[in-house]
Amino acid sequence: MAHAEQDLMARLRGPHAPHLLGLGTAGAPDHGASLTAHDAKELYFGLLHAQPDAVMLAQARDFLSRQMAAAAHTDADLPSDMSDLALWMKSNSAAVGRQYRDYLAHRRNGGPRRYFQTKSHALYFLKAVAPTKLVDGAWLYGVVPQWRDARYAELIRIYLEELGDGDPGRNHVLLYKALLASHECRQWEALDASHFVQGAIQLSLAQHTEELVPEVIGFNLGYEQLPLHLLICAYELNELGIDPYYFTLHVTIDNAASGHAARAAQSVLDALPHLGDQEAFYRRVRDGYRLNAMGKGTLEVIAGFDLERELLAMLATKAPVGASLHSDSCRIGGRTVNEWLSTPGQMRDFVNALEKAGWIRRHEPPENSRFWALLTGDKGPMFGVFNAYERQLIHDWIAGDSLSASSLASDPYRNRERSSAAWRKRANACPGPEFGEELRFTDDGPRSSGFAALLPPDDVREETRLLRDTLAKAKNRAAAMDLLVPWLSPVHHHTPAGLLATRLFNQALRA
Ligand SMILES: [Fe+2]
């Protein structure tokens, strides 16, 4: 074990020492069972769907320790002197800008897309990164209870912006949910555990912020920098007819001048201990920064797509349902369709047989294939069997070489490109949030008229009723804000009550 790693492990597991800032230490409790990346999925759902119990919290802490130990091997490209952070950030941002300009020039000169060969490739990407995107911002939740402390004001502001300040049209998790839904990218829950590592890290940080403030700040610093892949993803998604708003939104809010990137750098300096060991603090910021490299990165996810493998896996999941629904007169390659579908592991041979029998004409427009006609058109006998994402897989696999993206001029998706403004026009046609709630306080507490206005009297949703009951206990603004905090958690913030709580918290914070 390298010295640096030994040092880190000692700090992660060593005896708890008091911290001058009262931030605790990075020591991990020893509770027996240890979590590895393998268990990330169980931890992810455990932290996301329930109020975690002591065992779950201990598992999350142990998981973080192990991820930090593993991350110690990775490079943290942060400047050695933290006073150079602003310069470092601007230099990174300028380099990304140059690389993106080169990319655009390459595309203008007829170069192919760099990331997504087909639309199904792009949709696969959206699905494969869903576990991370659906907890967007979670790592900052743990600072929200510290709203009285001015050192965390920037971090809390970033978190509230991740939540869209309670506006469902700007809440990042809801935006991503809507994106997945619009393309019927379902079953992301079935992804293997490696896809949940980054999300489990973020949710675990949210639960252990009190003792891991420097690490949370370091993680945030890394996460909020503008990466080149974000720009290219947005460009190519748009080109493939997929609303890039979730990605373009992050391009604008992560800007190095005044956006999350700049504020993330400032938050390091804001939280710097004046009486404690600043170097030790910054080392821990770097440990947290390195956690960004854990789990599957964007480029790794994109490179992991194999159209045929994804197609066959999708067909295999459908097979048990279809195995008894076809007539025995449906025969392909000498076997009934029901026989093909009821024999596990036969999907590759089955699609080969379909191709051989002329039902599928590969590397031609799918409209030339009889099999495609079965699935599409409202009179097709298999209409509705496959959802939009699944149909796209089938479409792109059949089309094969005819979908060559080698030239923009021949790119069949090109005519679907639209400007961000056009996407927004469509999105803006959707019903917006209901605003107008106002939380007003007197010295003695919130006025009852304020509560009457903020929740419709005929609203019988359990969530909003619970929120109303909770707020009724508040004696003053500070007490109300403390009571609202749990509703801003990654579990709740995107629900109706969570959005309302976020708006109220935001309003009270600015009051
Ligand atoms: Fe976000």
Side-chain angles (χ1 to χ4, degrees):
M1 187 183 282
H3 177 73
E5 189 187 346
Q6 281 178 333
D7 177 51
L8 177 63
M9 285 303 284
R11 282 193 291 115
L12 294 177
R13 297 194 169 281
H16 294 202
H19 190 284
L20 283 168
L21 276 180
L23 301 177
T25 71
D30 184 5
H31 58 86
S34 292
L35 283 179
T36 65
H38 225 60
D39 309 291
K41 190 169 174 177
E42 194 182 332
L43 180 62
Y44 177 93
F45 286 112
L47 293 173
L48 195 56
H49 285 144
Q51 188 59 39
D53 59 18
V55 172
M56 181 67 68
L57 290 175
Q59 287 180 340
R61 184 64 187 83
D62 183 65
F63 177 73
L64 281 176
S65 296
R66 289 176 175 274
Q67 291 296 316
M68 278 194 264
H73 296 289
T74 64
D75 213 15
D77 61 343
L78 289 174
S80 52
D81 185 339
M82 68 192 110
S83 62
D84 292 334
L85 271 176
L87 204 61
W88 163 84
M89 184 192 59
K90 281 180 187 148
S91 148
N92 275 351
S93 177
V96 166
R98 280 194 301 276
Q99 290 165 337
Y100 186 54
R101 280 197 297 280
D102 290 346
Y103 166 83
L104 291 177
H106 173 70
R107 299 303 312 279
R108 267 189 234 108
N109 290 330
R113 281 187 293 275
R114 187 178 295 178
Y115 288 173
F116 307 123
Q117 293 178 346
T118 61
K119 184 169 182 177
S120 56
H121 191 177
L123 294 180
Y124 166 85
F125 164 72
L126 295 184
K127 181 173 132 172
V129 295
T132 308
K133 304 297 185 192
L134 292 174
V135 294
D136 198 1
W139 63 94
L140 284 177
Y141 168 64
V143 295
V144 180
Q146 307 302 323
W147 60 266
R148 292 171 179 83
D149 191 330
R151 290 173 302 173
Y152 306 127
E154 293 288 6
L155 295 173
I156 293 173
R157 183 93 306 275
I158 293 173
Y159 185 66
L160 292 174
E161 285 176 15
E162 294 287 337
L163 274 46
D165 290 328
D167 174 352
R170 292 189 293 121
N171 178 288
H172 294 191
V173 169
L174 284 180
L175 283 171
Y176 205 80
K177 278 178 185 253
L179 181 60
L180 291 176
S182 67
H183 297 281
E184 298 187 283
C185 295
R186 300 197 181 112
Q187 279 107 35
W188 60 268
E189 296 92 340
L191 292 163
D192 71 58
S194 66
H195 292 267
F196 292 83
V197 170
Q198 186 55 222
I201 287 172
Q202 296 175 13
L203 290 167
S204 298
L205 285 173
Q207 293 294 341
H208 291 284
T209 305
E210 202 175 339
E211 63 167 316
L212 294 175
V213 168
E215 287 82 357
V216 167
I217 289 173
F219 182 84
N220 184 62
L221 179 64
Y223 208 90
E224 298 292 359
Q225 300 307 311
L226 178 63
L228 178 65
H229 61 70
L230 187 66
L231 293 158
I232 297 179
C233 278
Y235 185 92
E236 296 193 1
L237 289 172
N238 188 47
E239 195 172 289
L240 289 162
I242 298 168
D243 185 350
Y245 181 60
Y246 176 86
F247 296 85
T248 54
L249 170 74
H250 285 84
V251 172
T252 51
I253 64 173
D254 291 349
N255 75 78
S258 59
H260 289 187
R263 285 189 270 157
Q266 182 58 44
S267 69
V268 177
L269 304 177
D270 289 348
L272 203 58
H274 286 246
L275 294 174
D277 183 341
Q278 296 194 343
E279 279 308 312
F281 177 90
Y282 192 49
R283 264 200 305 280
R284 289 178 59 184
V285 167
R286 278 205 291 268
D287 293 341
Y289 178 88
R290 285 193 185 92
L291 283 174
N292 281 280
M294 303 312 288
K296 275 185 183 286
T298 295
L299 299 185
E300 188 185 354
V301 168
I302 290 170
F305 179 68
D306 179 318
L307 175 55
E308 187 159 293
R309 191 183 60 211
E310 190 69 7
L311 172 88
L312 295 177
M314 180 275 288
L315 293 174
T317 63
K318 295 273 182 188
V321 179
S324 55
L325 298 179
H326 295 79
S327 155
D328 279 347
S329 63
C330 302
R331 298 182 78 84
I332 306 287
R335 301 174 70 188
T336 68
V337 171
N338 287 340
E339 282 169 349
W340 278 114
L341 297 181
S342 56
T343 315
Q346 295 293 299
M347 206 46 73
R348 172 70 266 182
D349 293 337
F350 181 44
V351 293
N352 279 345
L354 282 168
E355 195 176 349
K356 216 166 167 184
W359 282 86
I360 290 174
R361 295 166 68 99
R362 295 233 29 225
H363 309 300
E364 293 183 25
E367 292 71 25
N368 296 351
S369 290
R370 281 191 289 164
F371 180 70
W372 181 250
L374 296 176
L375 320 181
T376 53
D378 47 15
K379 296 224 168 81
M382 289 173 69
F383 178 74
V385 169
F386 297 98
N387 69 30
Y389 171 61
E390 294 162 347
R391 284 198 305 277
Q392 195 67 49
L393 285 172
I394 296 168
H395 176 280
D396 292 349
W397 181 78
I398 294 176
D401 294 345
S402 70
L403 277 183
S404 169
S406 60
S407 158
L408 274 180
S410 63
D411 186 345
Y413 294 121
R414 186 68 178 160
N415 61 356
R416 298 187 202 171
E417 184 180 350
R418 54 176 102 184
S419 68
S420 293
W423 282 116
R424 285 306 86 214
K425 200 172 165 193
R426 196 190 61 163
N428 289 341
C430 300
E434 290 168 25
F435 275 174
E437 314 99 353
E438 193 180 348
L439 186 59
R440 294 188 290 271
F441 294 93
T442 65
D443 288 342
D444 300 327
R447 294 174 191 155
S448 57
S449 60
F451 287 107
L454 73 89
L455 290 171
D458 57 347
D459 191 331
V460 292
R461 280 178 300 200
E462 179 69 0
E463 280 187 335
T464 43
R465 187 188 65 74
L466 284 170
L467 180 59
R468 180 167 37 204
D469 292 350
T470 302
L471 287 176
K473 295 170 193 155
K475 289 197 169 81
N476 52 37
R477 181 179 75 99
M481 288 175 72
D482 288 338
L483 289 170
L484 286 167
V485 167
W487 295 85
L488 273 62
S489 75
V491 181
H492 298 299
H493 72 73
H494 43 87
T495 65
L499 291 162
L500 176 58
T502 306
R503 296 197 289 273
L504 297 173
F505 183 88
N506 198 23
Q507 202 180 98
L509 191 65
R510 291 162 186 265

